[in-house]
Amino acid sequence: MTETTTASTLPTYYLSHGGGPWPWMPNMAPAYAVLDASLKALRRELDEKPRAVLVVTAHWETEDFTFSAAERPGMIYDYYGFPPETYEITYPAPGLPSLAARAAGLLRDGGMTANIDAARGFDHGTFSLMQAIYPEAAMPIVQMSIRKDFDPALHVEAGKLLAPLRDEGVLVVGSGLSFHNLRAMGPVGRDASRAFDGWLQQALLGATGEPRASNLLDWEKAPAARHVHPREDHLMPLHAAVGAAMEEEAHLSYHQEDFFGAITASSFRFGDAPLPVS
């Protein structure tokens, strides 16, 4: 049976979260203007439907899937070379231990090992993204790790098991970056990023269900795949987001061909938004 999105079923997203603490750096605003506008549009199209956000973050790698369960998460400044004041910023959104337990239970019921971490703080794959979407920092957030083995099939399967959360007011967000080769962020990465992004759009927008998931399982066959993702940490959150919305169409929610002057990058929504954005 084909699953359809209703007003009570939230979409899932794969979002490019940008670099470091960019929302707190006014001098970076021009470079991030397109991404920032897309994230503010996301907030408007969601209306007030989510009660919490589950962020599958590229910046937390564990042996088994793990969920953060701190009631008041701290900060993890997992970036380097930024101004001193960016190591003092805070994003005081609450955690939601009950959601962490629920999500871990869904994975365990599906035969997966899942853990709870009551001390994990917010990494920049979470707090930079959420600052742009929810600057008031009132939305409860739980983080989900990716597995160290980067097994694409297991990340898709985990997403499938988490799908019931979408009917419980939980917004599932895969936080990564569709191009993540820090040594090729300028003109040297232009052609590779465009080639990979073209494949990614075709793979996601042109299919649903198992054919789309199969495309992602074979992501290494994409043009310039290993140039764009020397490590696939920033791609695995996409697999979870797709798994959680298997039968629903993908929509391009952000696209830029001059990110950092040369890079092509994209974000995607899977399923219909609660509200259209004009």
Side-chain angles (χ1 to χ4, degrees):
M1 178 180 294
T2 298
E3 183 180 345
T4 58
T5 303
T6 67
S8 62
T9 301
L10 289 170
T12 72
Y13 290 86
Y14 171 65
L15 301 176
S16 292
H17 60 235
W22 64 269
W24 285 269
M25 300 180 66
N27 65 316
M28 296 183 75
Y32 283 95
V34 179
L35 178 60
D36 186 56
S38 75
L39 296 174
K40 288 177 169 52
L42 182 157
R43 169 70 178 274
R44 294 194 300 273
E45 72 184 15
L46 288 171
D47 192 29
E48 300 300 320
K49 298 297 183 182
R51 68 174 181 87
V53 181
L54 177 66
V55 178
V56 185
T57 172
H59 287 271
W60 186 18
E61 300 175 23
T62 56
E63 294 291 339
D64 296 301
F65 292 117
T66 304
F67 298 88
S68 65
E71 292 188 358
R72 293 290 173 183
M75 301 288 285
I76 299 175
Y77 303 112
D78 53 344
Y79 41 77
Y80 305 93
F82 287 86
E85 63 270 19
T86 64
Y87 298 89
E88 299 178 3
I89 60 176
T90 61
Y91 186 73
L96 190 60
S98 61
L99 173 56
R102 168 68 170 147
L106 287 170
L107 294 197
R108 291 168 184 158
D109 289 346
M112 287 189 169
T113 300
N115 299 319
I116 297 291
D117 186 333
R120 178 76 182 184
F122 292 142
D123 59 58
H124 94 259
T126 297
F127 65 72
S128 290
L129 192 63
M130 291 296 110
Q131 172 68 17
I133 303 171
Y134 293 109
E136 64 273 23
M139 177 67 70
I141 298 170
V142 168
Q143 296 175 123
M144 173 181 167
S145 69
I146 57 173
R147 286 176 52 112
K148 287 182 177 179
D149 59 12
F150 300 144
D151 186 319
L154 289 178
H155 287 80
V156 171
E157 183 61 26
K160 290 180 182 179
L161 295 173
L162 293 171
L165 297 177
R166 299 173 55 215
D167 290 317
E168 299 171 12
V170 177
L171 181 68
V172 177
V173 172
S175 174
L177 200 61
S178 60
F179 178 95
H180 195 253
N181 183 341
L182 298 182
R183 296 183 178 181
M185 284 302 292
V188 68
R190 178 184 285 110
D191 292 343
S193 69
R194 289 181 179 177
F196 184 81
D197 191 85
W199 172 86
L200 189 62
Q201 289 197 46
Q202 183 177 17
L204 297 177
L205 303 178
T208 58
E210 292 300 337
R212 182 170 66 195
S214 180
N215 290 337
L216 291 183
L217 298 187
D218 291 333
W219 74 270
E220 287 184 275
K221 297 179 181 178
R226 279 299 178 185
H227 184 86
V228 172
H229 290 283
R231 294 182 81 247
E232 54 266 49
D233 50 327
H234 279 62
L235 192 62
M236 287 301 102
L238 167 63
H239 291 64
V242 166
M246 283 291 290
E247 300 299 334
E248 290 159 271
E249 292 185 359
H251 308 266
L252 192 64
S253 64
Y254 158 72
H255 180 72
Q256 187 170 357
E257 297 183 357
D258 60 350
F259 187 55
F260 278 84
I263 298 302
T264 298
S266 295
S267 297
F268 299 88
R269 185 186 78 236
F270 304 95
D272 292 332
L275 289 178
V277 176
S278 58

